Amino acid sequence: MGGQHRSRASSSYPKLASAPVGQQVHSIYLQRLGQFTGEGQYASKNLLSMMDEGRASGVDVIKLSVYSPPDLARPTFKEAVSHKFTPTKVGESFGPSWSTHWFRVQLRVPPELQKKKHLELHWDANNEGLIWDEEGIPLQGLTGGGDRIEWILPSGWRDGKEHVFYIEMACNSMFGNAPGGDTIQPPAPDHYFQLHRADIVAVNLEARALFVDFWIIGDAAREFPGESWQSHEALQVANAIIDAFRVGKQDSIVEGRKIAKQYLGERVDSADVYAGDEDPLVYAIGHCHIDTCWLWPWAETKRKVARSWANQCDLMDRYPEHRFTCSQAQQYKWLEQLYPPLYDRVKTKVKQGNFQPIGGSWVEHDTNMPSGESLVRQFLYGQRFFESHFGDRCKTFWLPDTFGYSSQLPQLCRLAGMTRFFTQKLSWNNINNFPHTTFDWVALDGSQVICHMAPAETYTAEAHFGDVTRSVSQHKSMDEDATSLLVFGKGDGGGGPTFQHLEKLRRCRGLADEVGLLPRVKMGESVDDFFARLEEKAEKGTKFVTWYGELYLELHRGTYTTQANNKRNNRKSEIMLHDLELLATVASVRPGSKSSKSYRYPKKDLDDMWEKLYAEVFERGHKLLKEALSALDDSRESPEGQNQLAVLNTLPWPRTELVRMPGSSSSTSNAQYCLAEATTGLASVCPLSDTSRRSRATVKEIRRGAFVLANDEFEVEVEGGCVTSLWDIAAKREIIPQGSRANQLVVFDDKPLYWQAWDVEVYHLQSRQELPASKTTLVESGPHVVSVMTETKISEESWIKTTISLAASVEGQPSYVEIHGEVEWRESMKFLKVEFPVDIRNTEASYETQFGVVKRPTHYNTRLAPILILGLACLVLMEFSWDMAKFEVCCHKWADLSENGYGVSILNDSKYGFATCGNLMRLSLLRAPKAPDAHADMGRHHIRWAILPHSDGLDSRTVRTAFNFNNPMTVHRASATAAASVSAALSAIRLTGSPSLILDTIKRGEDDEDVSRGELAFRKGRSVIVRIYDSLGGRSRGTLKTTLPVRRVWRTNLLEDDGEEVRIKDGEVEVDLRPFEVATYRLQL
């Protein structure tokens, strides 16, 4: 009622102001946070002063002695401890670079530390090490330089007695021995490392925990949006912790932790923090990427594996949520061979689900330059290892650190039993920002895998607050799925996750649950769990964005060319292994042969060769080839009877070629040739005389230093080492534009922004310099081959001799202009290329890739795309130069530029870098980077390339001619009977039909009972594996024909699992492939 008195509740709000209160100056209080955990002038007064409860050092508690092996040797534990150890101490230095030093550590915990809660050894010499127990069991790796220097002492060592263990010191840091702090510089050979810490430390675990609490809360204050209440609250909590702290007062540490948990939650000290039912967005997985060979010796990688994986097993014992994924079967094999007790520990963790093998390949390999069959073997050997050692195959192809991804990888993944692919390397693009995070990646044949690229854009995340936020803020596929993987742990040089990483992630999850805004992170699951959810969404109708073709990395393009000898040897090894498997397969299965009954397929040798380095491949391969050829020869003639010449053709089609006789030089007086006409096998040949009635090649000097080389198909004018005219007689067409010069050698300045051996930047093209030739001389005057040689000075120390040759044309075979370059290369930061301007127009050029062809632009178009700028209510147009970014690309044996009705292919025998800009084709020959290998590519090189003009467009002529060019027929001594015997044997499996079909591989079945090495269950009987692919991108049909006693045939995957059974009638199997399809057949004998 109006005017009626009502009682009011009393308020505790004070009536009078007690004192003035000012508003905090945000920036000052934010900067203050650094004082609490920083090294600097306040270290003795801040949290760092209370991280230890006690520390002991000196000979009374830690007695050291050392054995230093000579000659940079890396002895085993057993070998090392058998030697005499001499006394040493903290402060001594050990080296030089790459040397090993074994320390015997005799440790006694002093009385004042025996009752402390947590004791650690802190050992730091700024280099890597591995702790071993007295029985020779590896326990834990050490990194040095303040990182991973601690080892938790066993609780039983508090008894006051002396305890002995060993530390194997490696005189290198995590990234080798580069001087001056620049990781990629050539290693210093005389680097010495001082042992500056060997202490027993009683760690204040509450202070260590508060340190991590404060770290994450401080990050929240700094990195949350400034207008968010969570950022302001974090700043208040952090300052409250500082205000509560008192130097030397443990209760202030406890109080600080209580304050921290107001923001982080109560469960951050255990794995229970992840027990909530809320759906996370970020799934964290530990990882340790170890480059199998990079900035350290090959042998050091094996020790890095042991150090890194021992650390992870230790962390799994302490952090039950820890899941660690690691690929590379080769590294598991090294661990099994060299560190059996540690390998057993890893296997136990695999069974428990904490240690998770992944990847399905032998190593984390390059995908640009290996042949198609090399990629197949990566999966075959990798998956077989994981299945035989851990009971299961991998479902996810894991390749975080490779420089671009071949367009056929999705097909090969599916054929290897993997539906998923993980990487992140495209985040390194330095021109365009790759537009997707989670998407379907589609191969040339239409096969697809679901791909995820970590939006944190690293595979070595430090598990920072910012890594978690970036896992959402940089996610580009939110419309389809908002979840992501966060891959964390020290990498490249090994190491993996640390306890700090795991502690930080606990707090990130606690913070997300308590105050929100930060994406929830989850640990305790696998990569396969993550992908399974994506696949489930796809099954329920989610349409992920698609990306067709190669995933081209816009960086590290120089890797196509650097280390030329490695690339040459790789190609030659692939060819040798192809030939050996073909010969050995037929020798081991052909019926009715005495030789085949005694000959055993060299499975172990072949496995070793696929796994080993080039020198071992060639050494062993030549011997095995001779043995296989001998087994195929049923003539049983004495060596004296094997006196006729025969050529060996290991390719699956007939060839007719001019072949130079053994011991014949290319001089005008001594060059001798034979005409080789061979199906697959050995074919007898006879030397050609100069009066042989057949097509001829001629040469004439039209003016001083200028020559015309001719055969029935081409007239080639050469001057100064360049082709100034290339006339196609039948087509009546000039191939070289007027005024241009093909086979023009050019050199460029080659100074990339940073990664010398890896990168070539687009601006190098602006430094083009033509190399002028000095003189051209006649080398061969016909009638079978004509050649002229040109000497070109590159610099005072470098030169190149190019020999341009034209052979007499052979009916039914394409003719081409062949060039051989002999190079003495002593340059610094230069790039040598050879150019071919051609009178062809097309906006795309074609390049051979694994099992197919990839087309790339010949122009530098730029497209404009509308981009929404966050924080602005507008769209802006951004330039994306996808075409220009491909100014240097990878190709295999050939590149082609064709227009309707005509084209030109450039062949090579050992190169992978190429470019086509407009009508200018350019083959990359040699680079001269000085880091990390100061001597990369220095010395003598022999390179072959060729110009192959052709009527009509790109077709099987280019594909087959490039195979022929890389597989020259070799001349052997054999009787006509022996040649016929070998040829009959090698014709046991043939492919007819579409010329685009390539019979690429013939080998034995991995698990045949007479071949199996026992890794997996063997199959009864014998079988032959045949791999065929369509090489040009059209529906291809053919017939696989065999004279072997084949009973049944199956289509299989790459792992040789039987799929659909295929009808065989009268030794014939119909083959029908979709464009660029790879098909594998198992022929059961």
Side-chain angles (χ1 to χ4, degrees), residues 329 359-366 370 372-384 386 397 610:
S361 57
W362 189 247
V363 295
E364 289 185 12
H365 53 91
D366 176 68
E373 190 60 28
S374 288
L375 293 181
V376 169
R377 298 311 171 92
Q378 284 284 348
F379 293 133
L380 178 68
Y381 283 105
Q383 289 285 49
R384 287 178 64 82
F386 289 124
F397 183 34
W610 277 108

Side-chain angles (χ1 to χ4, degrees), residues 329 332 357-358 360-361 382-392 394:
Y332 287 88
I358 200 169
S361 57
Q383 289 285 49
R384 287 178 64 82
F385 183 93
F386 289 124
E387 182 179 8
S388 62
H389 286 71
F390 303 114
D392 204 1
C394 300

Side-chain angles (χ1 to χ4, degrees), residues 469-486:
T469 60
R470 284 186 291 274
S471 295
V472 172
S473 65
Q474 296 181 169
H475 201 300
K476 303 166 189 169
S477 302
M478 289 284 195
D479 292 341
E480 295 79 35
D481 184 84
T483 62
S484 65
L485 283 173
L486 174 61

Side-chain angles (χ1 to χ4, degrees), residues 423-453:
T423 186
Q424 63 79 48
K425 199 65 180 182
L426 295 195
S427 67
W428 285 44
N429 280 3
N430 69 350
I431 295 179
N432 296 291
N433 188 8
F434 190 77
H436 309 305
T437 292
T438 304
F439 59 97
D440 289 329
W441 181 25
V442 185
L444 293 176
D445 78 314
S447 300
Q448 67 177 6
V449 293
I450 190 163
C451 178
H452 181 73
M453 298 188 182

Side-chain angles (χ1 to χ4, degrees), residues 317-504:
D317 292 336
R318 297 154 54 194
Y319 294 87
E321 74 270 27
H322 184 30
R323 300 294 182 270
F324 174 74
T325 195
C326 211
S327 64
Q328 308 197 77
Q330 173 66 86
Q331 296 183 4
Y332 287 88
K333 183 173 181 177
W334 283 335
L335 197 73
E336 180 184 28
Q337 292 173 332
L338 303 175
Y339 304 90
L342 179 54
Y343 176 75
D344 290 340
R345 190 179 178 194
V346 166
K347 284 196 75 171
T348 299
K349 297 299 182 185
V350 171
K351 289 180 181 178
Q352 294 170 352
N354 297 80
F355 200 115
Q356 300 169 350
I358 200 169
S361 57
W362 189 247
V363 295
E364 289 185 12
H365 53 91
D366 176 68
T367 76
N368 284 315
M369 288 167 281
S371 68
E373 190 60 28
S374 288
L375 293 181
V376 169
R377 298 311 171 92
Q378 284 284 348
F379 293 133
L380 178 68
Y381 283 105
Q383 289 285 49
R384 287 178 64 82
F385 183 93
F386 289 124
E387 182 179 8
S388 62
H389 286 71
F390 303 114
D392 204 1
R393 294 171 177 171
C394 300
K395 300 180 180 69
T396 302
F397 183 34
W398 182 271
L399 206 57
D401 189 28
T402 290
F403 310 149
Y405 302 92
S406 165
S407 51
Q408 284 287 50
L409 275 179
Q411 180 180 187
L412 300 183
C413 285
R414 296 305 294 256
L415 291 171
M418 294 180 286
T419 60
R420 306 138 178 193
F421 176 54
F422 172 84
T423 186
Q424 63 79 48
K425 199 65 180 182
L426 295 195
S427 67
W428 285 44
N429 280 3
N430 69 350
I431 295 179
N432 296 291
N433 188 8
F434 190 77
H436 309 305
T437 292
T438 304
F439 59 97
D440 289 329
W441 181 25
V442 185
L444 293 176
D445 78 314
S447 300
Q448 67 177 6
V449 293
I450 190 163
C451 178
H452 181 73
M453 298 188 182
E457 298 187 346
T458 181
Y459 53 90
T460 58
E462 290 287 346
H464 290 319
F465 180 97
D467 291 320
V468 177
T469 60
R470 284 186 291 274
S471 295
V472 172
S473 65
Q474 296 181 169
H475 201 300
K476 303 166 189 169
S477 302
M478 289 284 195
D479 292 341
E480 295 79 35
D481 184 84
T483 62
S484 65
L485 283 173
L486 174 61
V487 182
F488 68 95
K490 307 287 185 180
D492 292 335
T498 65
F499 79 86
Q500 292 96 330
H501 293 149
L502 298 166
E503 293 285 353
K504 284 188 287 182

Side-chain angles (χ1 to χ4, degrees), residues 212-242:
V212 185
D213 292 344
F214 192 84
W215 188 343
I216 296 302
I217 294 170
D219 282 350
R222 287 181 288 268
E223 298 186 35
F224 272 151
E227 67 276 12
S228 68
W229 71 263
Q230 290 94 339
S231 172
H232 288 271
E233 181 68 12
L235 184 61
Q236 299 310 307
V237 170
N239 275 276
I241 292 171
I242 298 174

Side-chain angles (χ1 to χ4, degrees), residues 528-545:
D528 284 335
D529 293 332
F530 174 81
F531 274 106
R533 281 187 291 271
L534 295 177
E535 290 182 349
E536 184 180 2
K537 289 193 71 171
E539 291 169 4
K540 291 180 178 178
T542 298
K543 300 293 185 182
F544 290 101
V545 174

Side-chain angles (χ1 to χ4, degrees), residues 697-942:
T698 62
V699 60
K700 62 180 179 180
E701 188 170 11
I702 57 175
R703 57 184 174 273
R704 185 175 180 84
F707 299 84
V708 174
L709 290 62
N711 62 15
D712 291 347
E713 295 187 28
F714 299 122
E715 292 178 355
V716 185
E717 186 171 325
V718 178
E719 185 172 11
C722 296
V723 177
T724 56
S725 173
L726 176 48
W727 178 257
D728 185 325
I729 297 171
K732 298 181 180 180
R733 176 164 182 156
E734 174 60 56
I735 288 129
I736 310 302
Q738 185 174 5
S740 297
R741 300 160 66 89
N743 202 54
Q744 174 67 60
L745 293 164
V746 289
V747 68
F748 301 82
D749 288 336
D750 192 11
K751 303 181 184 70
L753 295 175
Y754 177 64
W755 301 95
Q756 279 195 47
W758 294 263
D759 281 350
V760 56
E761 302 292 358
V762 66
Y763 55 73
H764 87 285
L765 296 171
Q766 298 167 220
S767 63
R768 176 182 178 274
Q769 289 182 295
E770 294 184 1
L771 293 176
S774 57
K775 62 177 180 178
T776 301
T777 56
L778 180 65
V779 175
E780 260 182 292
S781 57
H784 310 301
V785 175
V786 291
S787 304
V788 293
M789 189 269 288
T790 302
E791 299 179 16
T792 301
K793 184 178 181 181
I794 301 171
S795 69
E796 292 301 319
E797 297 183 320
S798 302
W799 50 261
I800 179 170
K801 296 178 182 178
T802 51
T803 301
I804 300 177
S805 302
L806 185 67
S809 57
V810 176
E811 185 177 357
Q813 299 292 319
S815 187
Y816 52 78
V817 181
E818 180 175 346
I819 300 97
H820 172 266
E822 180 184 4
V823 192
E824 180 67 18
W825 185 244
R826 300 287 177 186
E827 295 303 290
S828 176
M829 302 181 194
K830 296 291 184 181
F831 200 155
L832 179 67
K833 305 185 186 188
V834 58
E835 295 180 341
F836 310 92
V838 293
D839 192 14
I840 304 288
R841 289 187 62 82
N842 200 325
T843 57
E844 289 183 325
S846 299
Y847 304 84
E848 187 190 39
T849 188
Q850 299 94 344
F851 298 130
V853 179
V854 59
K855 293 185 177 182
R856 300 182 178 108
T858 62
H859 54 78
Y860 290 165
N861 281 1
T862 296
R863 69 177 179 87
L864 296 176
I867 301 295
L868 176 65
I869 303 299
L870 294 177
L872 300 177
C874 67
L875 292 173
V876 298
L877 291 176
M878 300 290 289
E879 293 185 352
F880 287 84
S881 306
W882 296 98
D883 302 320
M884 187 193 74
K886 295 179 180 179
F887 62 84
E888 180 85 1
V889 298
C890 184
C891 78
H892 282 220
K893 296 184 291 294
W894 57 264
D896 182 85
L897 183 62
S898 292
E899 61 188 23
N900 183 40
Y902 206 86
V904 175
S905 300
I906 304 299
L907 317 181
N908 76 84
D909 78 336
S910 59
K911 297 298 164 185
Y912 294 89
F914 206 92
T916 306
C917 180
N919 70 334
L920 180 64
M921 308 176 77
R922 186 185 292 122
L923 176 65
S924 297
L925 299 180
L926 292 168
R927 298 184 68 227
K930 297 305 173 186
D933 180 359
H935 309 289
D937 290 326
M938 297 297 99
R940 191 67 55 91
H941 298 267
H942 292 270

